[in-house]
Amino acid sequence: MKPIQVGLLGIGTVGSGTFKVLQRNQEEIKRRAGRGIEITMVADLDLARARAAVGEGVQVVNDARAVIANPDIDIVIELIGGYGIARQLVLEAIAAGKHVVTANKALLAVHGTEIFAAAHAKGVMVAFEAAVAGGIPIIKALREGLTANSIQWIAGIINGTTNFILSEMRDKGLDFATVLKEAQRLGYAEADPTFDIEGVDAAHKVTLMSAIAFGIPVQFDKAHVEGITKLAAQDIKYAEQLGYRIKLLGVTKRKAQGIELRVHPSLVPAKRLLANVEGAMNAVVVNGDAVGTTLYYGKGAGSEPTASAVIADLVDITRLHTADAAHRVPHLAFHPDAMSDLQVLPMSEVVTSYYLRMRVADEAGVLAQVTGLLATAGISIDAVLQREADEVGGEGSTQTDLIILTHDTREGTLDDALARLQALPTVLAPIVRIRKEELS
Amino acid sequence: MKPIQVGLLGIGTVGSGTFKVLQRNQEEIKRRAGRGIEITMVADLDLARARAAVGEGVQVVNDARAVIANPDIDIVIELIGGYGIARQLVLEAIAAGKHVVTANKALLAVHGTEIFAAAHAKGVMVAFEAAVAGGIPIIKALREGLTANSIQWIAGIINGTTNFILSEMRDKGLDFATVLKEAQRLGYAEADPTFDIEGVDAAHKVTLMSAIAFGIPVQFDKAHVEGITKLAAQDIKYAEQLGYRIKLLGVTKRKAQGIELRVHPSLVPAKRLLANVEGAMNAVVVNGDAVGTTLYYGKGAGSEPTASAVIADLVDITRLHTADAAHRVPHLAFHPDAMSDLQVLPMSEVVTSYYLRMRVADEAGVLAQVTGLLATAGISIDAVLQREADEVGGEGSTQTDLIILTHDTREGTLDDALARLQALPTVLAPIVRIRKEELS
């Protein structure tokens, strides 16, 4: 059978990894796919870079539309990134009847509804394993491996840059700014790290997982997004003393009232495997009603790990494109006419537990005042850690840190209570609030 | 579209879990599969048990062949177990043109070649996600998620009973026999636990993973199988002091000369996630040349976790049965005409590292004698732990324990050296040898 011909749009880190792995393992991949899979055409604005990456024998052009227009191309890989031209080209490739493979989480989290509808109408596949957690086959696990389940929740470390930074902050007791610089020097963080450190990248990914898990449309605009830039080294230390580690989690949960969809730093019990995922590694925990808790771990980024996912999609399409379109694996796991209308909940309706750190006056009655106020609000306390004033503020200090872990509370309720706590004259600085996930 | 009709052979723990989950989540599963999936016929020798499990509205028979002969049945689930009648029925179901789903690792590890060939010839699918690691979609990850990779090795905790026993031995410092009794009382070990504790169950599973990873036929008879019955509490303790935990691992590796395929207790560095998989949980680590190291974790047994995998297979078949048979996902990941002829290596050709515990005379020169002998054999030493004689044998003892960790060594070379060490007059008891996997 003649090889599947693939056109590649954008040959940067992931693109050149894809070309390299496909070539290195071509014999083994062919034995799995039943047909050869060959990148025969590459489009990149930087022709010299493209030529250097693929050598001779591959057509290199600077016009992506020439790839899409080529009738011999069966599958188009989009590795340009961003919402702009990438969206246009993906839609054009679909219109031309090409199957599409993309690693573009931003594009799909924002424009997925439009893109999947176009692909469905045209009867082609848009595969995106590489868009979430690099080489870990988490899209496949959610969409195919766990189809028996009513999925209850997902919590994942899905951004390697921030996990590297948090691991370093904990290991070395350093503050965020110092570690970020180190991460940039080592290549773990980009020159402009905003999308990573502000949680946007993780929010794109959890938006995709949420849609697949619960059968809802992608709704990035409804996600609560909070990064790690305000995290203080002392909270990592206090969390540790209480038996927790702080991770940037993408969380999505099914509740009776709707879907929680949020990215923020979270305390995780130190004994959980997820808490022990260190450095730039990724891991996703999925809880289903039948299977219980499962976890998927691996490299979430990088040239060859991401290429692993891109190529798995190429093999999937090669294996499955002959299935009639009504039967194939749906893009978002659920058939488009059977999506759920469960709404994404506003953050005030989210129910979770909390870590609170308060700088308080070191005087009698403060603890009773604070806990009394929380009790009145109906917020139940799981643990209290009160430091000696001398330890916190030095010899003779009149201030101390009061750390409280709450049980599950509606965020709106907590917000109100925090406003009242903040107004107490004995509370001397802005209260720090970090969410906590027990993952049990 | 009319529902997919499923016939179930054998309705014990997993069968009734499958029926229950399929019913509980039927609406959600239908939204994923695009068609309803219904168990319409059940065969079990115990009609009363079957009737109790499925209620009214499902045909219950005591003759499995009546299910296979039913022209309305699209998929047959085999949950009888064992090599005997199960093999016959699976072959008959295939001959009748039914797709088959089975959780029967023993059957496939021993008779897989015959069964997959029959299915291939008939153009039907035999799906077996439930045969390895319960609800964890590890077959799917290996066969579809990691297709880009030249897989290098797999190491897994794939038997919950033995992992529970080892966790308890470590936690409580108890010996094997005591913990086994406790495990039986709690239902974690069967009345006849032989298949679990002797490593046979794990060997069935790693045989299947090895075939899928490397494209070789299933060859259970070539697997090295060693259980945990001889493991002593003191080795767990010494391992801990050296920074390791002891786990029963199924290991398969690709080497230039062939494939390693083995089940035995192994030291694993305590810092690895795999070492921290406790109780009855399962986890599999897969290393691929592109993706690096990935890990998959979850419940490896039990009614609903296993049902999760059985039903995922039903959905897969529903989604993919319209693909032409030449393109579908091959049973063992590689197309049958493209299998590898790499041989499974005899244990003497395996290269790994070792933990050795020697009861030696507490006298000058013993350490030099032992290490000298190892050096002569070309075996390089990674670490030595020598206990004070008093600690080991009590006040005034003249014996002590010498623990040695080796670097990578060919097992045949180590066997020869052990025979020579054992013959030394200063070595006072049989040497304990446990393999060690760094998993890096």
Side-chain angles (χ1 to χ4, degrees):
Chain A
M1 213 174 297
K2 88 175 180 34
I4 290 279
Q5 294 197 29
V6 181
L8 176 58
L9 312 184
I11 188 153
T13 308
V14 176
S16 51
T18 301
F19 187 83
K20 207 161 113 186
V21 173
L22 206 47
Q23 198 158 59
R24 184 174 72 225
N25 293 340
Q26 60 178 322
E27 186 261 341
E28 199 155 337
I29 291 168
K30 183 180 176 180
R31 289 167 51 212
R32 289 193 176 102
R35 293 172 70 171
I37 298 177
E38 292 174 6
I39 293 175
T40 54
M41 198 169 178
V42 173
D44 201 290
L45 292 179
D46 186 341
L47 284 175
R49 175 176 81 159
R51 177 56 67 205
V54 303
E56 296 303 316
V58 174
Q59 198 183 344
V60 172
V61 295
N62 62 8
D63 177 12
R65 293 196 165 91
V67 175
I68 293 170
N70 182 338
D72 292 334
I73 296 289
D74 303 296
I75 306 175
V76 170
I77 306 177
E78 182 275 305
L79 295 174
I80 297 167
Y83 315 109
I85 184 68
R87 171 178 157 274
Q88 202 48 49
L89 291 172
V90 164
L91 289 171
E92 287 178 27
I94 291 168
K98 312 296 187 193
H99 301 289
V100 173
V101 174
T102 178
N104 193 334
K105 56 225 78 165
L107 175 64
L108 295 179
V110 176
H111 297 290
T113 301
E114 176 188 23
I115 288 167
F116 297 134
H120 183 71
K122 191 73 185 181
V124 298
M125 291 181 259
V126 175
F128 54 97
E129 184 62 79
V132 181
I136 308 170
I138 184 63
I139 298 293
K140 186 170 278 287
L142 286 171
R143 196 164 61 176
E144 306 171 32
L146 301 177
T147 46
N149 293 268
S150 172
I151 293 175
Q152 301 301 300
W153 54 264
I154 298 173
I157 295 170
I158 46 182
N159 181 275
T161 302
T162 46
N163 202 54
F164 174 83
I165 292 173
L166 293 176
S167 297
E168 290 287 295
M169 286 176 72
R170 187 178 72 87
D171 264 13
K172 304 184 176 160
L174 296 172
D175 65 15
F176 172 76
T178 308
V179 176
L180 173 61
K181 279 207 196 75
E182 174 73 359
Q184 285 173 314
R185 200 182 58 78
L186 293 170
Y188 286 117
E190 296 185 47
D192 177 0
T194 314
F195 261 38
D196 292 317
I197 63 178
E198 295 294 359
V200 177
D201 174 74
H204 287 145
K205 293 167 181 168
V206 73
T207 296
L208 290 172
M209 291 197 288
S210 180
I212 291 173
F214 305 125
I216 58 172
V218 288
Q219 297 165 74
F220 173 68
D221 57 329
K222 303 278 181 59
H224 172 86
V225 188
E226 205 178 308
I228 62 167
T229 55
K230 290 175 206 134
L231 214 55
Q234 60 185 315
D235 291 311
I236 293 176
K237 200 184 64 186
Y238 286 144
E240 191 104 31
Q241 289 167 9
L242 290 159
Y244 292 85
R245 297 204 180 153
I246 299 183
K247 296 290 185 184
L248 182 70
L249 295 188
V251 176
T252 185
K253 294 191 185 192
R254 179 204 302 256
K255 295 286 175 72
Q257 312 86 316
I259 303 295
E260 295 183 0
L261 179 59
R262 47 194 171 97
V263 170
H264 49 68
S266 303
L267 276 75
V268 177
K271 66 184 173 201
R272 301 265 181 261
L273 288 185
L274 194 65
N276 293 282
V277 171
E278 299 290 1
M281 302 303 284
N282 279 201
V284 179
V285 179
V286 183
N287 182 277
D289 68 337
V291 76
T293 296
T294 58
L295 176 143
Y296 309 82
Y297 165 91
K299 285 183 182 148
S303 173
E304 294 208 357
T306 310
S308 173
V310 169
I311 296 170
D313 279 345
L314 295 176
V315 174
D316 257 12
I317 292 173
T318 303
R319 283 171 167 174
L320 306 179
H321 71 284
T322 65
D324 75 64
H327 275 91
R328 279 185 208 138
V329 181
H331 292 109
L332 292 177
F334 291 79
H335 281 257
D337 60 358
M339 300 289 274
S340 163
D341 56 4
L342 271 176
Q343 297 299 303
V344 174
L345 295 168
M347 203 57 195
S348 60
E349 293 302 317
V350 161
V351 175
T352 186
S353 55
Y354 297 86
Y355 160 101
L356 306 175
R357 171 167 58 85
M358 284 169 263
R359 173 57 58 102
V360 294
D362 185 32
E363 53 186 62
V366 172
L367 181 59
Q369 199 178 24
V370 168
T371 55
L373 194 152
L374 289 171
T376 306
I379 296 168
S380 127
I381 294 174
D382 180 33
V384 173
L385 178 69
Q386 185 159 16
R387 311 302 306 172
E388 293 297 322
D390 291 358
E391 275 176 59
V392 174
E395 191 76 33
S397 170
T398 59
Q399 304 185 359
T400 190
D401 282 341
L402 175 61
I403 291 103
I404 292 179
L405 301 184
T406 77
H407 284 124
D408 274 355
T409 304
R410 204 182 58 92
E411 179 131 335
T413 306
L414 188 89
D415 286 341
D416 293 346
L418 282 188
R420 281 200 293 280
L421 282 173
Q422 193 69 72
L424 293 177
T426 47
V427 172
L428 307 173
I431 300 170
V432 172
R433 170 255 306 274
I434 307 176
R435 298 173 190 90
K436 175 165 84 67
E437 302 295 327
E438 289 294 327
L439 305 178
S440 57
Chain B
M1 211 175 295
K2 86 174 181 36
I4 289 279
Q5 294 199 27
V6 180
L8 176 57
L9 312 184
I11 187 154
T13 308
V14 176
S16 51
T18 301
F19 188 83
K20 207 161 113 187
V21 173
L22 206 47
Q23 198 158 60
R24 184 173 74 225
N25 293 341
Q26 60 178 323
E27 186 261 342
E28 199 155 335
I29 291 167
K30 182 180 176 180
R31 287 167 53 213
R32 289 194 176 102
R35 293 171 70 171
I37 298 177
E38 292 174 6
I39 293 176
T40 55
M41 198 170 177
V42 172
D44 200 292
L45 292 179
D46 185 341
L47 285 175
R49 174 175 83 159
R51 178 54 69 205
V54 302
E56 296 305 315
V58 175
Q59 197 182 344
V60 172
V61 296
N62 62 9
D63 176 12
R65 293 197 163 91
V67 175
I68 293 169
N70 183 338
D72 292 335
I73 296 289
D74 303 296
I75 306 175
V76 170
I77 305 177
E78 181 276 306
L79 295 174
I80 297 167
Y83 313 109
I85 184 70
R87 171 177 158 274
Q88 202 49 48
L89 291 171
V90 165
L91 289 171
E92 288 177 26
I94 291 168
K98 312 297 188 193
H99 300 290
V100 173
V101 174
T102 177
N104 193 334
K105 56 225 78 166
L107 175 64
L108 295 179
V110 175
H111 297 290
T113 301
E114 175 187 22
I115 288 167
F116 296 135
H120 183 72
K122 191 73 187 181
V124 297
M125 292 181 259
V126 175
F128 54 97
E129 184 62 79
V132 181
I136 308 170
I138 183 65
I139 298 293
K140 186 170 278 288
L142 287 171
R143 196 164 61 176
E144 305 171 33
L146 302 176
T147 45
N149 292 269
S150 171
I151 293 174
Q152 300 301 300
W153 53 263
I154 298 173
I157 295 172
I158 45 181
N159 180 275
T161 302
T162 46
N163 202 54
F164 175 82
I165 292 173
L166 294 177
S167 296
E168 290 287 296
M169 285 176 73
R170 185 178 74 87
D171 264 13
K172 304 183 176 159
L174 297 171
D175 65 15
F176 172 77
T178 309
V179 176
L180 174 60
K181 279 206 195 74
E182 175 73 357
Q184 285 173 315
R185 199 181 60 76
L186 293 170
Y188 286 117
E190 297 185 47
D192 178 359
T194 314
F195 260 39
D196 292 317
I197 63 178
E198 295 294 359
V200 177
D201 175 73
H204 287 145
K205 293 166 181 167
V206 73
T207 296
L208 290 172
M209 291 197 288
S210 180
I212 291 172
F214 305 124
I216 58 172
V218 288
Q219 297 166 72
F220 173 68
D221 57 329
K222 303 276 179 61
H224 172 86
V225 188
E226 205 177 308
I228 63 167
T229 56
K230 290 175 205 135
L231 214 56
Q234 60 185 315
D235 291 312
I236 293 175
K237 201 183 64 188
Y238 286 144
E240 191 104 29
Q241 289 166 8
L242 290 159
Y244 292 84
R245 296 202 181 154
I246 299 182
K247 296 290 185 185
L248 182 70
L249 295 188
V251 176
T252 186
K253 295 190 184 189
R254 180 205 301 257
K255 296 285 175 72
Q257 311 86 318
I259 303 294
E260 295 183 2
L261 180 58
R262 47 197 171 94
V263 169
H264 50 69
S266 304
L267 277 74
V268 177
K271 66 184 172 197
R272 300 266 181 261
L273 288 186
L274 193 65
N276 293 282
V277 171
E278 298 290 359
M281 302 304 284
N282 279 201
V284 179
V285 179
V286 183
N287 181 277
D289 68 338
V291 75
T293 296
T294 58
L295 176 143
Y296 309 83
Y297 165 90
K299 285 183 182 149
S303 174
E304 294 207 359
T306 311
S308 173
V310 169
I311 296 169
D313 280 345
L314 295 176
V315 174
D316 257 11
I317 292 173
T318 303
R319 283 170 168 176
L320 306 181
H321 71 284
T322 65
D324 74 65
H327 276 91
R328 279 184 208 140
V329 181
H331 291 109
L332 292 177
F334 290 80
H335 281 257
D337 60 357
M339 299 289 275
S340 163
D341 57 3
L342 272 176
Q343 297 299 302
V344 174
L345 295 169
M347 202 59 194
S348 60
E349 293 302 319
V350 161
V351 174
T352 186
S353 55
Y354 298 86
Y355 160 101
L356 306 175
R357 172 169 56 86
M358 285 169 262
R359 173 56 58 102
V360 294
D362 185 31
E363 54 186 61
V366 172
L367 182 60
Q369 197 176 26
V370 167
T371 54
L373 194 152
L374 289 171
T376 307
I379 297 168
S380 127
I381 293 174
D382 179 33
V384 174
L385 179 68
Q386 184 159 16
R387 312 303 304 172
E388 293 297 321
D390 290 358
E391 274 178 59
V392 174
E395 190 77 33
S397 170
T398 58
Q399 305 186 357
T400 190
D401 282 341
L402 175 61
I403 291 102
I404 292 179
L405 300 184
T406 77
H407 284 126
D408 274 355
T409 305
R410 203 182 59 94
E411 178 130 335
T413 305
L414 188 89
D415 285 341
D416 294 345
L418 282 187
R420 282 199 293 279
L421 282 173
Q422 194 68 73
L424 294 176
T426 47
V427 172
L428 307 172
I431 299 169
V432 173
R433 170 256 307 272
I434 306 175
R435 297 173 191 90
K436 175 165 84 66
E437 302 294 328
E438 290 293 328
L439 305 178
S440 59

